Amino acid sequence: MDLIRLGSSGAAVDEVHAVLLSLGLVGDPLPPTYDGTTERAVRTFQQQRGLSVDGVVGDETYRAISAAKFTPAARPLSPPPRPPSHAPAAA
């Protein structure tokens, strides 16, 4: 696999952006290239997962990013709570 780093673009960068966005590590909208914001988010991702922190998406980081797409941490675990109902008090 080619390294994904500053200046990279294409489908792999789009995939990295999508995972980082789903994890709340970057905001939307994102540029079509791997920029400084993406690099900082990748560093945070790497640190959180105990990976080598270099801000570059190599094999190890790419595998972790791919796995994050399919983990519960990347998605809400349950629907938001419902507001309490205002039923009349029993007489």
Side-chain angles (χ1 to χ4, degrees):
M1 145 179 197
D2 292 333
L3 296 178
I4 305 169
R5 61 175 126 204
L6 282 174
S8 296
S9 61
V13 173
D14 294 341
E15 180 180 1
V16 169
H17 279 159
V19 172
L20 296 174
L21 183 63
S22 74
L23 296 173
L25 296 174
V26 293
D28 196 24
L30 290 165
T33 59
Y34 193 107
D35 65 354
T37 299
T38 306
E39 182 184 47
R40 286 185 296 279
V42 167
R43 284 178 179 276
T44 299
F45 178 86
Q46 291 168 327
Q47 185 176 23
Q48 289 174 344
R49 283 165 175 72
L51 306 173
S52 300
V53 178
D54 60 5
V56 174
V57 180
D59 289 332
E60 178 185 42
T61 300
Y62 188 78
R63 281 192 301 273
I65 284 174
S66 294
K69 292 188 297 189
F70 303 107
T71 61
R75 298 183 302 278
L77 296 177
S78 61
R82 297 168 81 172
S85 65
H86 296 290

